[in-house]
């Protein structure tokens, strides 16, 4: 009965979003979404999300300097940099390589860079998380990924790339929205919204159990916590936060 209810409600939501579905089938929505809508939406969402998670992020990145490499420099790669909302939490002098599969965040990214001149920006790579071949193996001390694993093609392949580019003893920081508890009403509504949400928000998946991929990734140490971020009116309240050491 529940599955029937989910299918019915999905159909109702698809009817409401019919203009977007039509634009998608005409090949118009995807390029518009990547170039215009999603960069605009993500900048607005990131600002709200950062306000809600500021203290959590400050605590999360507090030990970043402890992972400074033998060279005395902290080399950091951020996957899915987007608007650069994490820059403010990085320690002074940190050398940051930015990467994103979508290169259309230039304006908001430039604004974040100008506001955060305490860190050094090495380069920007247009690259998906599953393919970071432009980054040499074992070349970075830290990798950061926030609100990104929901939309990569493969979480497991992305985590393999994370482990490849990290030096031994390097660290991977994450903050991701995830699937709600099984049998909860929140998961029910995540499943209802999933197809339309994924279409509208550039491949974002609502029901991924990312913590399972992290547990199976064979990091030497994993610190992971399930939390709820107060984002009223959205299906992305359940989150995981933490870090893993190679």
């Amino acid at each position: 009965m529940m599955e029937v209810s989910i299918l019915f409600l999905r159909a109702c939501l698809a009817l409401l979003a019919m203009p977007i579905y039509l634009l998608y089938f005409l090949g118009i929505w995807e390029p518009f979404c990547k170039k215009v809508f999603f960069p605009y939406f993500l900048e607005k969402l990131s600002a709200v999300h950062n306000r809600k998670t500021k203290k959590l992020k400050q605590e999360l990145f507090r030990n970043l300097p402890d992972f400074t490499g033998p060279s005395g420099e902290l080399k950091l790669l951020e996957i899915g940099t987007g608007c650069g909302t994490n820059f403010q939490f990085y320690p002074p002098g940190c050398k940051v390589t930015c990467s994103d599969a979508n290169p259309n965040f230039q304006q908001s990214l430039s604004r974040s860079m100008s506001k955060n001149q305490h860190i050094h920006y090495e380069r920007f790579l247009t690259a998906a998380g599953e393919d970071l071949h432009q980054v040499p193996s074992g070349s970075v001390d830290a990798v950061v990924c926030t609100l990104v694993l929901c939309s990569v093609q493969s979480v497991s392949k992305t985590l393999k790339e994370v482990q490849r580019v990290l030096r031994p003893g390097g660290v991977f920081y994450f903050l991701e929205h995830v699937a709600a508890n099984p049998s909860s009403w929140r998961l029910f509504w995540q499943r209802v919204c999933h197809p339309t949400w994924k279409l509208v928000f550039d491949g974002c998946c609502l029901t991924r159990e990312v913590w399972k991929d992290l547990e199976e990734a064979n990091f030497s140490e994993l610190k992971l916590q399930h939390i709820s971020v107060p984002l009223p009116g959205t299906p992305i309240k359940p989150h995981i936060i933490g870090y893993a050491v190679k």
Side-chain angles (χ1 to χ4, degrees), residues 89-153:
F89 303 104
Y90 298 158
C94 177
K95 292 194 170 183
V96 179
T97 295
C98 305
S99 71
D100 205 296
N102 186 344
N104 296 298
F105 295 101
Q106 294 97 329
Q107 291 184 349
S108 55
L109 186 60
S110 295
R111 286 193 289 271
S112 293
M113 291 171 74
S114 64
K115 291 178 184 175
N116 295 280
Q117 297 186 16
H118 64 288
I119 56 180
H120 178 72
Y121 302 98
E122 296 270 80
R123 55 178 176 158
F124 179 90
L125 308 175
T126 300
E130 302 91 338
D131 183 10
L132 299 167
H133 68 272
Q134 299 168 80
V135 182
S137 299
S139 65
V140 297
D141 304 304
V143 177
V144 173
C145 190
T146 61
L147 302 185
V148 174
L149 295 178
C150 58
S151 56
V152 297
Q153 292 294 318

Side-chain angles (χ1 to χ4, degrees), residues 49 53 56 147 175-181 186 190 197 206 226-240:
H49 193 271
T53 59
L56 290 166
L147 302 185
L175 173 59
E176 300 287 340
H177 71 80
V178 294
N181 291 330
R186 187 162 286 168
Q190 284 181 331
W197 182 277
L206 292 172
H226 288 260
I227 60 171
S228 180
V229 176
L231 296 167
T234 76
I236 59 170
K237 293 179 183 179
H239 281 60
I240 56 170

